[in-house]
Structures are given as C-alpha cells and as structure tokens.
Amino acid sequence: MKNCTLSRILALCLAIYTALCSASEEATVTVQSEYNTNAILPCPALSYSKHYTSLTWYKFSPIKEGIIRNSTRQSKPQPYKNYENRTDVSLTEDGSLVLQKVNFSQGGMYKCYLAGKFGHRNNESFVILNVTGNL
C-alpha cells in the first residue's frame, strides 16, 4: 500500500515537473540584417511573461557579456560598463534591442532575460543575429 501511494506521488511530481519544464522552453529566433543597417532584435520571452522586474540583454562573444538592462524601478535603461558611452545600442518600448549600423562582429547569439516578480518565473529567449552584405 505504501509503495502504491509513493509511486502515485512520484508520478504526480514527475508530471508537474514535465509540464513546468515544457512551458518554459527557450524560444530562439533568427534575425537577418544587412551590414551597416539597423537591426532590431525582439524578445520572444515577453510574449509569455508579463510580470517581471527587469529585462536584460546579453551577447555571447564567446562569454556572456551584459549589454543593457531596463528595470521597472528606473526611468531609463542602464547600459553595462562596455556599452556606457555608446549611442548605437538602445531598447524599444516593447523591449526589443536596437543595434544601429551593425557590423559583422555584432553577429552571433543574444539573450533576452526577464527577472520575474516575486512569485513569478524568470524567463529568457535567444536571438541569433546574422549580418550579411559587402563591406
């Protein structure tokens, strides 16, 4: 009898865990941009997460490097150290990352991370930027 109850509890836990994991699958989009044009990278995580305290964009080059962070407690987005004096990086109202006049070195993997409000989940999504064209 104990084994049967324990098996049911474990099966229920596994079902809940599986449902939670599949609901938070990472979304990945690919954006194509011509060399020396503006690239707008959307944050797909925003489509399934509305309750967050901050939105942060990162680039993997090859390590994760912070670009810009927008907190609900601050009036404007805050760039990370390496982006402080750059005017070619900004956020749109909907949380998309705007890269002005992209070059080939800006191509690669980007991450949009949403820190959830208390009691809500953190979410993230990935964007691959492909820069094409001639110099």
Side-chain angles (χ1 to χ4, degrees), residues 40-64:
I40 299 174
L41 284 57
C43 181
L46 284 167
S47 65
Y48 51 87
S49 182
K50 301 294 182 205
H51 305 285
Y52 62 92
T53 58
S54 67
L55 176 149
T56 306
W57 277 96
Y58 298 95
K59 180 169 193 300
F60 293 91
S61 59
I63 60 169
K64 185 171 80 169

Side-chain angles (χ1 to χ4, degrees), residues 54-86:
S54 67
L55 176 149
T56 306
W57 277 96
Y58 298 95
K59 180 169 193 300
F60 293 91
S61 59
I63 60 169
K64 185 171 80 169
E65 173 185 36
I67 299 172
I68 195 165
R69 180 175 186 264
N70 191 22
S71 172
T72 55
R73 294 181 208 132
Q74 296 174 332
S75 59
K76 65 179 191 170
Q78 300 296 310
Y80 277 74
K81 191 90 173 152
N82 291 342
Y83 291 85
E84 279 181 344
N85 298 316
R86 291 177 55 173

Side-chain angles (χ1 to χ4, degrees), residues 19-134:
L20 289 174
C21 288
S22 64
S24 67
E25 281 185 18
E26 301 163 351
T28 302
V29 237
T30 300
V31 172
Q32 301 274 39
S33 185
E34 287 288 320
Y35 177 82
N36 209 30
T37 63
N38 293 351
I40 299 174
L41 284 57
C43 181
L46 284 167
S47 65
Y48 51 87
S49 182
K50 301 294 182 205
H51 305 285
Y52 62 92
T53 58
S54 67
L55 176 149
T56 306
W57 277 96
Y58 298 95
K59 180 169 193 300
F60 293 91
S61 59
I63 60 169
K64 185 171 80 169
E65 173 185 36
I67 299 172
I68 195 165
R69 180 175 186 264
N70 191 22
S71 172
T72 55
R73 294 181 208 132
Q74 296 174 332
S75 59
K76 65 179 191 170
Q78 300 296 310
Y80 277 74
K81 191 90 173 152
N82 291 342
Y83 291 85
E84 279 181 344
N85 298 316
R86 291 177 55 173
T87 57
D88 62 335
V89 176
S90 61
L91 290 178
T92 64
E93 287 284 323
D94 69 355
S96 296
L97 179 66
V98 179
L99 303 171
Q100 295 180 10
K101 296 186 177 183
V102 293
N103 58 51
F104 295 112
S105 68
Q106 289 174 293
M109 176 78 74
Y110 290 80
K111 174 181 172 179
C112 174
Y113 176 78
L114 301 173
K117 287 185 177 180
F118 184 76
H120 294 273
R121 298 185 59 168
N122 297 336
N123 280 303
E124 61 189 21
S125 53
F126 294 88
V127 180
I128 298 170
L129 174 61
N130 290 327
V131 179
T132 58
N134 299 321

